[in-house]
Amino acid sequence: MMLEWVQIIGLSTIGIGLLLCYEATAGAGPLVRATRGEVWPKPQAFQRNYSYMFVRPNHFKFKVTFHTCAILDKAIERYKKIISAYSNVGGKQLRKWMKSDPLFHGYLDSLEVYLDTPCEEYPYLNMDELYSLKIDYGDLESKALLVSSSIWGVLRGLETFTQMLTPSIHIRNHLVVNSSLITDFPRFPHRGLLLDTSRHFEPLSVIFSILDGMECNKLNVFHWHIVDDQSFPYQSQIYPGLSEKGAYNPITHVYSIEDIQSVIEYARLRGIRVMPEFDTPGHTQSWGLSIPKLLTPCYQGGELSGTYGPIDPSRKENYKFVKTLFQEIISVFKDNYIHLGGDEVSFDCWSSNPNINQYMKDNNISTYEELESMYIQKVLNYVTNMNANSIVWQEVFQNNVTIQNDTVVHIWLGNLAQLLEEVTSAGHKALISECWYLDHLDKSWIDFYKCEPWNFDGTTEQKKLVLGGEACMWSEMVDESNVVSRIFPRASATAEKLWSSEDTNVVHSAQGRLEEHYCRMKKRGISAQPPTGPGFCPI
């Protein structure tokens, strides 16, 4: 028999408490038994007693005792609905034994929420997400208290508290929670999910569902890869032709400024940053449909081939266009970072073009890497002068482009340990995605879980430069019908690696918790797929 930690409702004489049982199944029944009331991602410090309290969903209240704001008010509304959804579930009405059970500590009818500083308006890199949660523990008898110095920590604590509640198997309309003490904070500040909406357009309802899943997993960066070669669904106010000619459908398959603002607001209320990516100079074929002479004409045998390559870096007009577009983008998206891409820039078209070659000769540019570097440096300077920060894909670094020290290098391909050592030894901050590509269907959540961000030969100072990472959902083979299930729960594994302590790394210890978390997401309307194999969700 394969062993696994599984949390169940256990009896103390005739009472009930949440006990831990080391168990999994073989043969009949589910492959992995789900835990009950375990938290995902695993908290940094979690102390729990066998004593327990009941929560009655229709009686329970959140009590805010100091600072509050719209973000907190909306969060309380959400979590009230989540808890209320567990009404009319559980066992039969059997109460006789409760009075004689020494582990039963009564009814928990409220959670006190204490936010000791005013709310911030927007989430940001390195925001404070630390919180403490005490439930009927130590000197706090028969009560519950959530404390944080930031609204973002309060949001994470509310998620944890709600996950700890699990239906009683003995008493209907009752949830049960153990006496517990949690001190929790993320290991990495950047815990992201990339969604590509160019190759397949995703409706707003799907994006909102993905953001719900991110909240449930304490992911805090929605990396919106909004445009690419295939389509340009971003509806620019300054350059409306980009979507009129570049979107799959300029009416139904576009994101207006109002749409984007609704996504930013939905994410903000959940403590999630929305970081856009507009990838240049490559991945811009859809851009060229409306902007004359933006792309480089390719030649073959000395004649125009009728195809086009990356943005033409020899034309001043193109820089004016890029600068103006990015000014609009930075004003629309509220985040301090913008992802500038820079990956997969083929030099074949540039090398075939006589005008490009003459430009290089006139400006003493000897290699196409130098030409790319000139373009990227100008764009980086534009962004810096707009008081924003930049992230680039790893090729920009590998091609020896001169980039500012505060430019973040995003690693997606190759030897992860070697690249992390090289990037951080050069003094650059790093993000990792190489091991967390959701479009790689041969990779299970277990593969994702085995990826360790600090597994490289670097000093302590180098490892501090790893900001975190992202699970990436490229959309060649997903649309609104299957994208959410392709993301979750595999992205949940990424979430735990980026939140929990480094020693939270044992797959078989995570299996039961992830099985429960999958069911939890389904209960909330998030279309997660089964993580391990045969099984069922009891509620």
Side-chain angles (χ1 to χ4, degrees):
M1 175 185 290
M2 180 181 177
L3 297 180
E4 169 61 33
W5 282 103
V6 180
Q7 188 181 44
I8 64 170
I9 296 287
L11 296 181
S12 61
T13 312
I14 54 175
I16 69 173
L18 288 178
L19 305 180
L20 289 175
C21 176
Y22 207 33
E23 181 184 356
T25 62
L31 180 65
V32 174
R33 293 195 184 277
T35 57
R36 290 178 58 87
E38 289 282 359
V39 178
W40 193 283
K42 187 177 180 180
Q44 297 283 346
F46 193 173
Q47 301 176 53
R48 177 167 46 195
N49 294 335
Y50 286 114
S51 55
Y52 62 94
M53 300 185 72
F54 281 132
V55 171
R56 295 168 291 188
N58 293 332
H59 290 75
F60 186 80
K61 296 180 179 179
F62 294 95
K63 294 183 178 180
V64 180
T65 56
F66 198 27
H67 289 289
T68 189
C69 60
I71 296 175
L72 181 51
D73 293 341
K74 294 289 186 180
I76 287 174
E77 289 179 15
R78 289 196 305 277
Y79 286 108
K80 277 185 177 178
K81 289 181 181 179
I82 291 171
I83 293 173
S84 296
Y86 288 92
S87 300
N88 299 316
V89 299
K92 299 178 180 179
Q93 301 285 356
L94 299 175
R95 301 173 183 261
K96 297 179 181 179
W97 44 263
M98 289 166 52
K99 294 181 180 179
S100 61
D101 183 5
L103 296 179
F104 174 59
H105 284 195
Y107 290 94
L108 182 65
D109 290 332
S110 66
L111 170 66
E112 179 184 351
V113 179
Y114 187 91
L115 171 60
D116 66 10
T117 59
C119 294
E120 296 172 305
E121 187 175 5
Y122 284 95
Y124 54 92
L125 180 67
N126 291 317
M127 60 186 165
D128 180 8
E129 297 174 272
L130 183 148
Y131 67 91
S132 66
L133 177 62
K134 185 183 289 188
I135 304 171
D136 183 43
Y137 197 94
D139 58 356
L140 190 72
E141 296 182 1
S142 302
K143 297 180 181 179
L145 174 64
L146 169 62
V147 177
S148 180
S149 295
S150 81
I151 182 60
W152 319 119
V154 167
L155 294 180
R156 307 309 176 224
L158 289 172
E159 178 62 40
T160 291
F161 174 79
T162 308
Q163 290 189 17
M164 294 171 68
L165 307 179
T166 189
S168 166
I169 64 172
H170 289 275
I171 303 180
R172 194 168 184 80
N173 299 328
H174 282 55
L175 303 174
V176 63
V177 62
N178 275 109
S179 305
S180 303
L181 175 63
I182 292 177
T183 301
D184 199 15
F185 52 88
R187 182 177 164 205
F188 294 99
H190 186 120
R191 307 180 307 281
L193 172 67
L194 178 151
L195 179 67
D196 166 18
T197 58
S198 171
R199 293 170 176 90
H200 276 99
F201 180 86
E202 301 297 347
L204 288 182
S205 59
V206 172
I207 294 176
F208 292 152
S209 182
I210 291 169
L211 290 170
D212 288 338
M214 292 179 66
E215 177 183 41
C216 193
N217 288 278
K218 298 188 175 76
L219 291 167
N220 68 354
V221 182
F222 178 59
H223 175 170
W224 197 347
H225 188 93
I226 192 168
V227 301
D228 209 295
D229 281 330
Q230 290 76 14
S231 74
F232 197 103
Y234 172 74
Q235 202 169 53
S236 170
Q237 292 181 326
I238 300 176
Y239 298 106
L242 285 167
S243 60
E244 289 172 358
K245 295 185 177 181
Y248 287 139
N249 184 305
I251 298 173
T252 62
H253 285 56
V254 292
Y255 302 107
S256 68
I257 301 299
E258 292 74 20
D259 291 335
I260 292 168
Q261 289 173 343
S262 70
V263 170
I264 292 171
E265 178 64 7
Y266 198 92
R268 181 184 78 93
L269 294 174
R270 289 154 180 79
I272 299 171
R273 299 161 50 200
V274 178
M275 181 185 71
E277 179 181 354
F278 285 76
D279 191 354
T280 69
H283 290 277
T284 49
Q285 293 296 302
S286 63
W287 305 38
L289 297 176
S290 63
I291 306 299
K293 300 182 180 179
L294 177 68
L295 303 182
T296 304
C298 304
Y299 284 72
Q300 187 173 10
E303 302 291 334
L304 286 168
S305 67
T307 60
Y308 294 87
I311 288 176
D312 185 342
S314 69
R315 301 187 70 252
K316 292 181 179 179
E317 296 84 353
N318 290 344
Y319 292 102
K320 180 180 179 181
F321 159 75
V322 170
K323 181 179 181 180
T324 303
L325 178 63
F326 279 20
Q327 283 176 326
E328 178 185 275
I329 293 165
I330 289 172
S331 70
V332 170
F333 290 88
K334 305 300 183 181
D335 200 66
N336 292 327
Y337 279 83
I338 180 172
H339 204 302
L340 299 177
D343 63 317
E344 297 181 319
V345 180
S346 172
F347 298 147
D348 293 342
C349 187
W350 282 350
S351 66
S352 74
N353 186 290
N355 294 327
I356 293 286
N357 287 300
Q358 185 62 48
Y359 176 84
M360 293 173 64
K361 182 178 180 181
D362 293 343
N363 290 273
N364 296 316
I365 300 172
S366 58
T367 68
Y368 299 104
E369 287 82 1
E370 291 178 17
L371 182 65
E372 178 194 23
S373 178
M374 179 200 71
Y375 171 86
I376 294 290
Q377 286 174 31
K378 287 185 178 182
V379 176
L380 287 170
N381 289 336
Y382 294 156
V383 170
T384 298
N385 292 334
M386 296 172 196
N387 296 317
N389 300 298
S390 302
I391 301 176
V392 295
W393 293 110
Q394 68 187 56
E395 288 96 325
V396 173
F397 171 80
Q398 291 175 306
N399 289 342
N400 297 313
V401 175
T402 302
I403 56 179
Q404 296 95 327
N405 285 337
D406 58 355
T407 301
V408 180
V409 178
H410 196 164
I411 299 170
W412 70 278
L413 179 68
N415 187 320
L416 178 59
Q418 179 180 335
L419 285 166
L420 280 170
E421 195 280 327
E422 292 174 356
V423 169
T424 57
S425 65
H428 295 297
K429 297 174 182 176
L431 293 172
I432 68 171
S433 288
E434 185 272 338
C435 48
W436 293 326
Y437 262 43
L438 293 158
D439 57 318
H440 292 183
L441 299 184
D442 58 325
K443 302 297 183 182
S444 70
W445 76 266
I446 294 176
D447 296 304
F448 282 34
Y449 202 77
K450 290 179 178 179
C451 181
E452 169 48 51
W454 282 343
N455 186 23
F456 69 99
D457 186 16
T459 65
T460 301
E461 291 304 311
Q462 283 179 258
K463 292 183 178 181
K464 288 180 181 179
L465 293 173
V466 181
L467 297 179
E470 298 177 355
C472 295
M473 186 69 263
W474 302 103
S475 67
E476 285 90 346
M477 302 299 293
V478 295
D479 61 10
E480 68 272 16
S481 69
N482 63 347
V483 64
V484 178
S485 62
R486 289 282 174 87
I487 293 172
F488 300 111
R490 286 187 298 159
S492 302
T494 302
E496 180 150 294
K497 298 306 295 183
L498 293 173
W499 179 282
S500 305
S501 62
E502 185 177 4
D503 60 5
T504 303
N505 57 14
V506 181
V507 168
H508 75 78
S509 295
Q511 286 178 317
R513 286 190 300 109
L514 187 57
E515 194 75 20
E516 179 186 9
H517 192 53
Y518 143 72
C519 292
R520 180 184 294 130
M521 287 190 282
K522 284 190 64 180
K523 180 70 174 176
R524 296 190 189 184
I526 302 161
S527 301
Q529 68 180 20
T532 51
F536 77 107
C537 293
I539 55 172

